């Protein structure tokens, strides 16, 4: 009986890991789909970035709905439903969004396509919120981090193959040039397949005998958090509402888009100031490390998404190679593959190995991951010799790992500085040097999430779960920062717009310093925080 249960759990794990693959597949594919939509629908750079806005905005709205549903009922809705049922519901919602994409594409309506993206993302939000703890529940808690690392690695495979596959669907190969009119109808197969996969996985979970994880734990009171969350929601809406508002008022769209970003950041800093005077009623937001961490997650996700979201347009410039929509896939694939390189290297510390073995693997693993990226592109017919020089960036990553010594604050500081330097090099130069400098942003972003998360929830005690929910909401950065850069690109040029990632990395460096000081005041040793638990 026990063996049967283990086999059942193993099947469920492998099935859900397949879904992790498609999360990465779709998110990374936006780097190909955005410039395609920009060309097909004759969009401005700002308008093209509304794909990221709706995709990552769906995560924010989904998290907000879960938070307030739990707050109103006084019970953690996710735990009450159970992880299994939550994933099933999320898969069905994403399947409906994928099916909606087919008529949306054929309608020729860009707003219709954005709506479909939004529903796919709402489903993803529920799936991912439930899937991570569910993967931990599918076996011994001791090996839970290893299962999450495995799932994350498969997610990264999806990120590598997504841009390549979508390029094949749209253009025949990652470097072929075919008439634009043929491209858009071929998307049907992709979204029908995705919808079928989501429904099949949902059906599998529905009939599987899996552990039922529920909880009647009361939600901690935090009434004062309502105002900042409502203001942040209004700012999120303002980005999209700014388009008609600009027409009605005669004001520039930039006023509304930049105002949205400023409102979110200032709201969080004002909350930090208010909560520092009286922590009562603020819940998790009463802790400065959490508020600072919310801004850090916001900027981290924002910079991770905006670098590649705007890259397709950058690569079309003559001084950056003059690539077209059909030939950018290897670079987008390499960017998301860089995330895999860093995460695989970071996963080495999850295993109990001797120091010498860890040191060897820290050097070998990133080049193995780089080899996987090269192989995937080579199998698609790409001339991978142009990518070899990127090995220099991989060496910089390895040096960063050795210097940071697995300490979250030092890791974040190290890679924040490296990320800022890479973006400055990219802004100051052109050609392959700038391209690979920008792509290396993926390397330096790759291992930031666990460090930010560990530093942000340290010392929260009974508010840890609530604090985690607030941090997840700040995936909102992926919805706000790309349109901000897109708007700057429309007014000042796509190349100079990459000053936005420089600013994002600069805040992450500031956060590393500031949160270390805050935690030291609270008597928390940042060098002893458990990063693995936050993967």
């Amino acid at each position: 009986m026990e063996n049967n249960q283990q086999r059942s759990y193993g099947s469920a794990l492998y099935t859900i890991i397949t879904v992790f693959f498609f999360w990465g597949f779709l998110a990374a594919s936006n780097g190909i789909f955005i410039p395609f939509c920009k060309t097909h629908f004759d969009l401005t750079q700002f308008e093209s970035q509304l794909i990221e806005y709706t995709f990552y905005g769906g995560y924010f709205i989904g998290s907000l709905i879960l938070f307030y549903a739990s707050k109103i009922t006084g019970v953690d809705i996710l735990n009450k439903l159970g992880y299994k049922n939550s994933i099933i519901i999320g898969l069905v919602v994403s399947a409906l969004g994928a099916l909606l994409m087919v008529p949306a594409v054929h309608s020729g309506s860009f707003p219709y396509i954005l709506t479909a993206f939004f529903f796919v993302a709402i489903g993803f939000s529920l799936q991912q919120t439930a899937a991570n703890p569910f993967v931990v529940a599918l076996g011994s808690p001791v090996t839970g981090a290893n299962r999450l690392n495995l799932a994350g690695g498969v997610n990264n495979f999806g990120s590598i193959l997504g841009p390549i596959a979508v390029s094949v669907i749209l253009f025949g190969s990652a470097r072929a040039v075919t008439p634009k009119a043929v491209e858009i109808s071929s998307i049907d197969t992709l979204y029908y397949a995705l919808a079928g996969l989501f429904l099949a996985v949902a059906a599998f979970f529905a009939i599987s005998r899996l552990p039922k994880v529920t909880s009647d734990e009361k939600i901690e009171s935090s009434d004062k958090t309502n105002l900042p969350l409502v203001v942040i929601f209004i700012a999120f809406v303002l980005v999209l509402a700014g388009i008609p508002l600009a027409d009605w008022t005669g004001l520039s769209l930039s006023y509304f888009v930049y105002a949205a970003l400023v409102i979110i950041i200032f709201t969080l800093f004002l909350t930090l100031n208010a909560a520092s005077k009286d922590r009562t009623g603020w819940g998790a937001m009463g802790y400065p490390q959490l508020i600072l961490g919310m801004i850090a997650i916001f900027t981290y996700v924002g910079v991770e998404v905006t670098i590649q979201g705007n890259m397709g347009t950058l690569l079309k410039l003559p001084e950056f190679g003059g690539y077209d929509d059909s030939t950018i896939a290897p670079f987008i694939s390499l960017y998301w593959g860089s995330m895999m390189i860093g995460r695989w290297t970071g996963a080495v510390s999850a295993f109990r190995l001797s120091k010498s073995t860890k040191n060897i693997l820290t050097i070998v693993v990133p080049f193995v991951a780089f080899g996987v990226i090269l192989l995937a592109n080579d199998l698609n017919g790409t001339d991978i010799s142009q990518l070899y020089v990127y090995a220099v960036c991989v060496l910089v990553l390895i040096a960063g790992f050795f210097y940071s010594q697995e300490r979250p604050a030092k890791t974040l500081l190290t890679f924040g500085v490296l990320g800022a330097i890479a973006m400055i090099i990219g802004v100051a130069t052109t050609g392959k040097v700038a391209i690979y400098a920008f792509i290396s942003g993926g390397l330096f972003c790759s291992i930031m999430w666990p460090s930010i998360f560990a530093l942000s929830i340290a010392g929260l005690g009974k508010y840890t779960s609530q604090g985690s929910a607030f941090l997840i909401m700040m995936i909102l950065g992926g919805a706000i920062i790309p349109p901000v850069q897109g708007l700057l690109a429309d007014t000042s040029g796509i190349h100079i717009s990459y000053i936005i990632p420089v600013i994002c990395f600069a805040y992450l460096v500031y956060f590393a310093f500031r949160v270390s000081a805050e935690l030291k005041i609270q008597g928390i040793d940042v060098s002893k925080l458990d990063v693995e638990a936050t993967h």
Side-chain angles (χ1 to χ4, degrees):
M1 183 69 179
E2 184 177 345
N3 290 336
N4 289 337
Q5 186 182 57
Q6 289 176 350
R7 280 195 296 270
S8 175
Y9 288 2
S11 299
L13 177 63
Y14 300 143
T15 303
I16 198 169
I17 282 178
T18 302
V19 182
F20 270 77
F21 173 90
F22 281 93
W23 295 341
F25 182 98
L26 276 181
S29 298
N30 288 351
I32 302 296
F33 200 64
I34 287 170
F36 170 76
C37 284
K38 183 184 179 185
T39 301
H40 186 81
F41 294 103
D42 192 25
L43 305 173
T44 64
Q45 188 64 16
F46 166 77
E47 289 169 338
S48 73
Q49 293 306 302
L50 291 177
I51 289 178
E52 304 286 28
Y53 171 81
T54 53
F55 190 78
Y56 289 93
Y59 280 88
F60 170 65
I61 296 299
S63 299
L64 207 60
I65 291 171
L66 275 177
F67 175 74
Y68 275 107
S70 297
K71 190 170 184 178
I72 291 170
T73 60
V75 176
D76 188 331
I77 294 296
L78 190 68
N79 281 330
K80 191 67 176 177
L81 285 172
Y83 297 143
K84 171 182 170 179
N85 291 333
S86 298
I87 291 172
I88 290 172
I89 295 169
L91 285 164
V92 171
V93 172
S94 290
L96 293 175
L99 290 173
L100 189 62
M101 185 63 77
V102 175
V105 168
H106 285 278
S107 73
S109 169
F110 187 58
Y112 195 174
I113 287 177
L114 294 179
T115 301
F117 262 112
F118 181 76
F119 279 103
V120 171
I122 284 285
F124 276 15
S125 174
L126 186 54
Q127 290 171 50
Q128 293 203 32
T129 303
N132 286 284
F134 192 64
V135 166
V136 173
L138 292 175
S140 169
V142 176
T143 55
N146 291 341
R147 286 192 294 279
L148 283 177
N149 282 325
L150 174 62
V154 175
N155 178 274
N156 292 141
F157 270 122
S159 298
I160 295 171
L161 297 180
I164 297 172
V166 170
S167 186
V168 169
I169 290 169
L170 294 179
F171 309 108
S173 81
R175 61 177 180 175
V177 181
T178 57
K180 188 173 55 182
V182 181
E183 301 153 7
I184 204 156
S185 62
S186 62
I187 297 175
D188 292 5
T189 303
L190 170 65
Y191 284 99
Y192 278 134
L194 287 172
L197 174 72
F198 291 142
L199 291 174
V201 175
F204 177 86
F205 274 98
I207 62 174
S208 297
R209 297 181 61 186
L210 301 172
K212 185 178 181 182
V213 183
T214 59
S215 173
D216 294 322
E217 181 182 354
K218 294 294 181 181
I219 303 300
E220 294 293 340
S221 176
S222 54
D223 294 336
K224 291 182 180 178
T225 62
N226 290 331
L227 180 58
L229 290 178
V230 169
V231 172
I232 290 172
F233 171 76
I234 292 172
F236 164 70
V237 174
L238 185 60
V239 173
L240 193 59
I243 298 174
L245 286 173
D247 292 335
W248 296 339
T249 63
L251 295 172
S252 169
L253 176 62
S254 60
Y255 285 111
F256 300 99
V257 177
Y258 295 150
L261 177 61
V262 170
I263 288 169
I264 291 170
I265 299 300
F266 269 81
T267 296
L268 289 170
F269 273 115
L270 288 173
T271 299
L272 176 65
N273 182 61
S276 65
K277 296 176 181 176
D278 183 7
R279 189 179 290 181
T280 306
W282 283 106
M285 287 190 185
Y287 294 81
Q289 63 265 37
L290 190 277
I291 297 292
L292 293 167
M294 289 173 69
I295 303 173
I297 289 291
F298 180 89
T299 53
Y300 155 72
V301 177
V303 72
E304 174 185 296
V305 174
T306 200
I307 290 173
Q308 67 86 35
N310 288 281
M311 191 175 291
T313 299
L314 180 78
L315 293 172
K316 291 183 179 181
L317 297 179
E319 60 267 35
F320 285 88
Y323 298 94
D324 58 32
D325 293 342
S326 65
T327 55
I328 64 174
F331 299 104
I332 303 300
S333 175
L334 179 59
Y335 176 79
W336 288 108
S338 295
M339 303 292 287
M340 183 183 78
I341 293 172
R343 287 169 183 167
W344 279 20
T345 308
V348 170
S349 62
F351 301 96
R352 295 181 179 179
L353 303 169
S354 66
K355 184 177 180 179
S356 59
T357 302
K358 274 189 178 183
N359 289 341
I360 292 171
L361 289 177
T362 299
I363 297 171
V364 172
V365 167
F367 283 106
V368 170
F370 184 40
V372 170
I373 299 166
L374 294 177
L375 177 61
N377 281 280
D378 183 58
L379 291 175
N380 191 53
T382 299
D383 176 14
I384 60 172
S385 63
Q386 62 182 326
L387 306 179
Y388 291 163
V389 69
Y390 193 67
V392 174
C393 298
V394 177
L395 285 173
V396 174
L397 174 83
I398 294 169
F401 267 102
F402 279 112
Y403 176 74
S404 57
Q405 300 174 328
E406 301 177 19
R407 297 177 180 178
K410 194 173 183 180
T411 295
L412 190 59
L413 175 63
T414 300
F415 289 103
V417 169
L418 288 173
I421 292 173
M423 296 304 104
I424 291 171
I425 292 173
V427 171
T429 61
T430 57
K432 288 294 177 64
V433 172
I435 291 172
Y436 291 129
F438 288 137
I439 290 175
S440 72
L443 287 174
F444 307 133
C445 280
S446 62
I447 39 74
M448 284 186 168
W449 176 279
S451 295
I452 297 172
F453 218 95
L455 293 165
S456 302
I457 64 174
L460 263 60
K462 64 181 180 180
Y463 294 110
T464 299
S465 179
Q466 186 185 85
S468 298
F470 289 147
L471 291 172
I472 296 297
M473 286 182 196
M474 288 300 100
I475 288 176
L476 174 67
I480 302 296
I481 292 178
V484 167
Q485 184 179 347
L487 187 62
L488 182 59
D490 287 331
T491 56
S492 303
I494 186 67
H495 189 192
I496 195 63
S497 75
Y498 272 82
I499 196 69
I500 297 295
V502 175
I503 297 170
C504 290
F505 279 117
Y507 174 78
L508 292 169
V509 172
Y510 165 78
F511 170 73
F513 278 114
R514 177 74 185 274
V515 77
S516 297
E518 292 288 350
L519 292 175
K520 186 176 181 180
I521 292 171
Q522 298 173 33
I524 298 172
D525 186 351
V526 296
S527 67
K528 296 181 179 179
L529 295 179
D530 181 12
V531 177
E532 284 307 317
T534 65
H535 269 278

